[in-house]
Amino acid sequence: MAVLTSEAVVLRTWPVHESDLIVSFFTRDHGRLKGMAKAALKSRKRFGGALEPMTLARAWFAEKPRQELVRLDQLEIVRSPLSAPVDQARMAVLSFFAELLDEVLPERDPQDAVFRLLVSVLEQTQAAQPENGQPASAGADASSRGPWMALTYFSLWMTRLMGLLPDLGHCMTCGEALRAGEVYFQPFADGLVCGLHRGGNASVLSADSWQMAQRMLKLPVAAFAGEPWPRRRGSDLRRFTLQALERHLEKKLRTGEALARLGG
């Protein structure tokens, strides 16, 4: 039984027996896998602190014939979310990343674009701007920085990569070009609509969010790192993408509700 290795991000863990864990982890080369980590709670040498959700690690594992679980032998930390202070908002965002990926990714199906997206937003989540919009000084406390830009970028791109994001420049009903300030979305339908076809239960997508979404689909996440990003910026865009993701999943995401309580 050959031992495989790949970059991976830990999504979730479940305890079994006294010290074993079942680990859901997303690998660059083999997609999402579930593995049995024997004596994981006792072995600092093989796992250390690498079992925290959203830890980027090098994973060593072996596939067992006719078994759903792989044998997870070792995780070596590349980047840990605990390397910087983790406040309530950042923890909620990291938990959202983990829950969404664990729900939407098929097992054993490599998704390189999603993996690259995740790694890039994790980096920005740790190096986020302070919520007052002022650039963080080198010695600034990381707990004062908000993760909302990374969350917005991730949610928008996951919606697109899952095929749930129609053309944002035109009304889904009439096909006419949309105009800033007159863009709406509906809770039970994909895409955006103009004022004429918004219906009674539609929500407005602000001009800033609409224009920002179109920029985000063209630029890497790092391009937005220098912009002011208070908590409320892009909240309507995040609500639009969350509704699309939950319609596809046919369930509410627990972490989406937690983010809503935080005002994110």
Side-chain angles (χ1 to χ4, degrees):
M1 183 165 48
V3 175
L4 306 174
T5 184
S6 177
E7 276 190 292
V9 176
V10 175
L11 301 179
R12 293 180 61 189
T13 62
W14 299 265
V16 289
H17 306 127
E18 287 189 4
S19 60
D20 301 342
L21 289 176
I22 294 175
V23 183
S24 175
F25 59 110
F26 177 32
T27 71
R28 181 187 291 272
D29 302 310
H30 304 274
R32 184 174 65 87
L33 301 171
K34 284 184 180 177
M36 176 65 74
K38 288 287 188 180
L41 297 178
K42 294 181 178 178
S43 178
R44 294 191 59 82
K45 180 179 180 181
R46 291 189 298 126
F47 297 104
L51 290 165
E52 290 294 328
M54 290 293 101
T55 298
L56 176 63
R58 169 64 60 176
W60 285 265
F61 56 94
E63 295 192 276
K64 297 182 177 182
R66 298 183 297 278
Q67 291 194 23
E68 177 184 357
L69 298 178
V70 303
R71 187 191 72 207
L72 182 57
D73 293 332
Q74 184 177 349
L75 290 170
E76 182 179 283
I77 294 176
V78 175
R79 185 165 64 239
S80 169
L82 303 182
S83 62
V86 181
D87 58 13
Q88 186 180 18
R90 187 171 284 101
M91 180 59 72
V93 168
L94 293 173
S95 298
F96 175 78
F97 293 168
E99 182 183 14
L100 179 60
L101 292 171
D102 202 46
E103 290 285 349
V104 304
L105 292 175
E107 287 195 27
R108 302 174 190 268
D109 182 11
Q111 301 276 342
D112 184 66
V114 177
F115 193 90
R116 288 186 284 108
L117 169 66
L118 178 60
V119 170
S120 67
V121 295
L122 285 176
E123 182 176 353
Q124 292 301 322
T125 301
Q126 288 187 285
Q129 291 247 32
E131 289 198 26
N132 62 13
Q134 298 301 313
S137 64
D141 181 358
S143 65
S144 69
R145 306 174 189 178
W148 309 111
M149 182 276 286
L151 172 63
T152 307
Y153 193 94
F154 177 79
S155 300
L156 179 67
W157 265 100
M158 281 300 297
T159 307
R160 178 180 229 188
L161 292 172
M162 292 174 61
L164 305 176
L165 192 67
D167 175 19
L168 297 182
H170 294 83
C171 174
M172 281 292 294
T173 302
C174 65
E176 291 293 319
L178 295 170
R179 295 185 296 179
E182 300 178 19
V183 180
Y184 302 86
F185 61 96
Q186 299 164 331
F188 305 111
D190 291 334
L192 301 172
V193 293
C194 63
L196 183 63
H197 296 102
R198 64 180 179 175
N201 58 353
S203 299
V204 64
L205 187 66
S206 68
D208 178 59
S209 289
W210 180 60
Q211 292 164 343
M212 176 174 59
Q214 294 176 84
R215 290 171 56 219
M216 282 184 161
L217 294 176
K218 298 175 182 177
L219 298 171
V221 64
F224 300 89
E227 297 186 12
W229 212 281
R231 182 184 299 250
R232 287 293 183 182
R233 187 181 184 196
S235 60
D236 51 351
L237 178 57
R238 295 191 292 272
R239 188 166 70 253
F240 165 64
T241 55
L242 180 61
Q243 287 177 0
L245 293 166
E246 289 182 335
R247 278 198 305 273
H248 170 76
L249 292 170
E250 297 183 342
K251 65 181 293 187
K252 290 287 186 180
L253 293 171
R254 174 181 52 82
T255 50
E257 297 173 353
L259 286 167
R261 289 194 295 270
L262 288 172

